[in-house]
Amino acid sequence: MKTITSIDLLEAAAYALISERCRPSYLHDVRGGLQAVHGAIELLVRAAKDPGNAALAEKAAGLARSAMLNHEKSLVELLEQIAPRHELATAINVGELVGDTLQFVRNDAASKSITLRLQRSPDLNVLAEAHKFRFLILGLTITLTDGLPGGTIVDVKVMRSDTHVLIEFSSIVACASILRPEDLLGSGRQLPSPPELILSLTRAWASANGGSVELTADSQSPNAVRLYYPLAVA
């Protein structure tokens, strides 16, 4: 077993924080998968009551197998999302990843009258750990919008910036600075706020992979976080 580092501790805290915060969204997805299984079982029951309808029985069996397979995949994916693990970098379409992540929390945001408005350029690909990338985008979305007044529109942009892809969150909760992970656990310091924790981990991860994270907060523009990550070589 490897030695536990400060990054390991902070990541574990962040995963626990976001998993608890997104519990309703995870439950919504699980129940959606179970509805398909339930529908297939109902069709199987109907087929069993009519032994002479072989076509219905075959259809019901096919739907049941498909529903179970899809639900199994969704449960495995859920485990990948809430439990940190080492993974190899793979090709990721950033616009699609950000879009899927925002869709996951859109109902939660709507319940607070917060609108997540996405603008994305197509075909921007990077090499990154897919689940960690998704987790950090999810963490930023949640922590940078919690506490905003109802009616706020949060603009999320995915675009090219020279040799990097840029992901920008604007009209968000103001953040003064981004601390280093080791400073978050300094002696005598208060525990970090959720935005401080996620921003610190995001910048450390981006920096380790040739990227960066910037904050903007002035009277001329809305509060924004900009995440830069190197584009994959074609």
Side-chain angles (χ1 to χ4, degrees), residues 104-222:
F104 175 69
V105 296
R106 198 171 296 278
N107 287 340
D108 179 85
S111 70
K112 300 176 176 63
S113 299
I114 304 296
T115 300
L116 301 173
R117 188 165 60 186
L118 175 62
Q119 177 183 336
R120 53 185 171 181
S121 299
D123 302 325
L124 295 177
N125 299 302
V126 301
L127 290 176
E129 305 100 311
H131 291 96
K132 179 169 286 188
F133 201 165
R134 180 192 180 279
F135 165 72
L136 292 171
I137 296 300
L138 175 60
L140 290 172
T141 303
I142 291 297
T143 61
L144 296 177
T145 59
D146 274 353
L148 290 174
T152 301
I153 297 176
V154 177
D155 284 311
V156 184
K157 298 179 181 178
V158 180
M159 67 192 81
R160 180 168 186 152
S161 177
D162 195 15
T163 59
H164 290 70
V165 61
L166 165 61
I167 305 170
E168 179 183 271
F169 294 82
S170 62
S171 300
I172 54 173
V173 172
C175 301
S177 62
I178 306 177
L179 299 176
R180 298 178 303 171
E182 54 268 31
D183 293 334
L184 292 178
L185 297 175
S187 176
R189 190 187 184 282
Q190 290 185 339
L191 293 175
S193 66
E196 287 178 326
L197 176 58
I198 300 299
L199 281 169
S200 179
L201 289 173
T202 302
R203 187 171 71 171
W205 173 77
S207 298
N209 291 282
S212 62
V213 177
E214 297 176 355
L215 296 178
T216 66
D218 56 59
S219 59
Q220 304 301 316
S221 62

Side-chain angles (χ1 to χ4, degrees), residues 13 35 72 95 99 101 103 147 219:
Q35 285 180 353
E72 179 184 1
T101 305
Q103 186 63 37
S219 59

Side-chain angles (χ1 to χ4, degrees), residues 24-42:
S25 297
Y26 285 122
L27 284 174
H28 179 271
D29 278 9
V30 170
R31 285 170 177 154
L34 286 174
Q35 285 180 353
V37 174
H38 177 75
I41 292 174
E42 287 295 316

